[in-house]
Amino acid sequence: MQDKDYMRMAVKEAVKAQGMTWTNPLVGAVIVKDGQVLATGYHHQYGREHAEVNALLHLTKFEEARGATLYVTLEPCSHYGKQPPCCKKVAAAGIKRVIIGQVDPHEVVGGKGIKYLNEHNVETEVIGGTEYLNEAYNFFYRQQRPLVTMKYAMSLDGKLNEAGNKRTMLTGEAAQDDVQQLRLRNQAILVGANTVRVDDPLLTVRIRPLPQLPIRIVLTRDANRLDLTKKIFKTPGPIWLLSQTELTERHEENVRCFTAEKWTPAKIVQLLTDHNLQSLLVEGGSNVQAQFIAAALADEVVAYIAPTLLGGSALPVAMGQEASQKVHYQVCDVQTLGPDVRLRARRE
């Protein structure tokens, strides 16, 4: 086996914690000596030990680490947070060589873990190939704002709902299951008040129990006019209301209201940045989609296309604010999900 093969093993470890690490990155690790895998590990959950330490804990004997090679998908951290620096643990264990999938873009780490290892007689090499594991994490620390994904299900003629403010179930079970995977990868989910009123969505992740639930955000002119009997207010998890008016009605403790004279996409993104949230999923509705397109703040688009025509005055995708210029995207994936098609595109 070559370095890239062991790194693939580390990647398989990392993805086991999808949705569990919150603002921490997904990281996997493999310890190898004399061509034998001695232990594997990954960062199981936000606040728990990191992948490198988790792998060391899985050794039959701690002494086995001396002279071994560590494969890790992200540069070992060099600072004290909820856990002590991994680079110190790795060096103290006697690891001889560390093969790294990606340098950490976080300014607190960014090369410092590698520097520490080199200064303590640990050979390091960055081979790349693992950045896709943490797209939002990388984007956040490079662009200083969250990665924004716009998601919608539409008919073949580009419509979201039938006429008359009527909820329309367009896609099948496979596509709906895929949406759950998409929500699992995002820390916040945004809809407009009209989507809450018409579709009555839960906006929850139902794949697995999560230590931190995505923040469900409702954009509204007046928070006091929201219908508290809607499903979103009857399920656990944090809810943010972005309103032009102060909230006077009593809500559950999980509801928090932020006010501004006008909530633009830029202000929404800045609010999330201020709270260190790295990813936002914009789920609807049509007017909210139009606003994010006009602001050129949709970094990725995930469209689920159903083999249905609605026609007439049915509600189209992104109807509302006009964009001042075209925003070009590159299609990066097209997949069939039962009777439906999922298309993913990223900004060029």
Side-chain angles (χ1 to χ4, degrees):
M1 291 179 67
Q2 300 178 348
D3 288 345
K4 62 181 181 180
D5 299 312
Y6 292 119
M7 189 60 74
R8 287 194 194 102
M9 292 180 62
V11 167
K12 288 182 179 179
E13 289 294 308
V15 297
K16 291 178 181 179
Q18 186 75 62
M20 302 295 288
T21 61
W22 193 230
T23 54
N24 283 356
L26 294 171
V27 186
V30 177
I31 300 173
V32 179
K33 190 174 183 180
D34 299 327
Q36 299 294 317
V37 175
L38 301 183
T40 61
Y42 65 98
H43 180 38
H44 285 238
Q45 184 176 314
Y46 181 75
R48 297 259 314 263
E49 74 272 3
H50 293 178
E52 303 91 324
V53 174
N54 187 251
L56 288 170
L57 292 173
H58 285 150
L59 289 168
T60 304
K61 295 181 180 179
F62 191 72
E63 294 77 17
E64 291 178 326
R66 190 158 299 280
T69 297
L70 170 69
Y71 294 85
V72 62
T73 57
L74 186 69
E75 175 185 4
C77 68
S78 56
H79 65 291
Y80 284 90
K82 291 184 179 297
Q83 296 291 327
C86 290
C87 62
K88 292 186 177 182
K89 294 277 189 178
V90 170
I95 294 288
K96 181 181 179 181
R97 184 169 172 249
V98 178
I99 307 299
I100 299 165
Q102 180 203 333
V103 176
D104 197 324
H106 196 311
E107 60 182 10
V108 174
V109 183
K112 298 182 181 69
I114 292 173
K115 183 174 184 289
Y116 181 92
L117 291 170
N118 291 337
E119 289 175 347
H120 289 79
N121 302 314
V122 181
E123 178 187 346
T124 61
E125 181 182 356
V126 180
I127 64 172
T130 61
E131 291 208 358
Y132 67 92
L133 278 173
N134 297 291
E135 287 185 323
Y137 177 84
N138 292 327
F139 187 95
F140 183 83
Y141 286 108
R142 289 169 180 164
Q143 304 297 326
Q144 302 301 306
R145 70 167 178 84
L147 176 70
V148 178
T149 300
M150 188 165 66
K151 163 260 168 185
Y152 50 83
M154 69 177 186
S155 62
L156 285 174
D157 52 346
K159 304 298 178 68
L160 299 174
N161 280 327
E162 295 176 61
N165 280 330
K166 181 179 179 181
R167 184 183 186 186
T168 307
M169 294 297 294
L170 290 169
T171 55
E173 186 176 344
Q176 292 168 32
D177 288 345
D178 194 75
V179 171
Q180 288 291 306
Q181 293 289 342
L182 188 57
R183 288 178 182 172
L184 186 68
R185 296 194 295 272
N186 282 272
Q187 293 157 7
I189 303 168
L190 172 71
V191 295
N194 195 55
T195 297
V196 172
R197 182 175 64 84
V198 175
D199 292 352
D200 196 13
L202 289 167
L203 302 179
T204 53
V205 178
R206 299 180 285 278
I207 295 173
R208 64 195 299 186
L210 300 176
Q212 285 88 19
L213 299 174
I215 297 169
R216 293 167 294 170
I217 304 175
V218 180
L219 180 62
T220 179
R221 287 190 178 89
D222 185 355
N224 297 292
R225 296 181 65 182
L226 292 169
D227 184 352
L228 302 186
T229 66
K230 294 297 184 181
K231 294 175 184 176
I232 189 173
F233 298 109
K234 301 297 182 181
T235 52
I239 298 171
W240 287 4
L241 307 179
L242 307 186
S243 173
Q244 295 177 5
T245 59
E246 294 283 352
L247 182 63
T248 58
E249 297 291 328
R250 184 176 178 179
H251 277 267
E252 299 296 330
E253 292 182 356
N254 64 327
V255 177
R256 186 174 180 183
C257 185
F258 298 86
T259 59
E261 185 175 337
K262 183 178 181 181
W263 281 105
T264 64
K267 282 187 178 180
I268 295 169
V269 166
Q270 186 59 55
L271 176 67
L272 269 64
T273 302
D274 293 342
H275 285 80
N276 295 312
L277 296 172
Q278 300 161 6
S279 55
L280 171 65
L281 181 62
V282 178
E283 289 214 18
S286 182
N287 183 262
V288 175
Q289 294 163 359
Q291 289 182 50
F292 272 83
I293 291 171
L297 278 174
D299 304 301
E300 178 178 66
V301 175
V302 180
Y304 297 89
I305 306 167
T308 304
L309 294 172
L310 294 181
S313 57
L315 180 67
V317 174
M319 184 178 72
Q321 185 175 347
E322 296 288 342
S324 59
Q325 59 184 2
K326 292 181 180 179
V327 182
H328 296 281
Y329 289 77
Q330 181 175 356
V331 175
C332 51
D333 181 60
V334 179
Q335 185 176 344
T336 301
L337 298 171
D340 310 307
V341 173
R342 183 194 69 194
L343 184 149
R344 290 180 63 244
R346 295 292 293 269
R347 284 188 64 177
E348 294 179 344

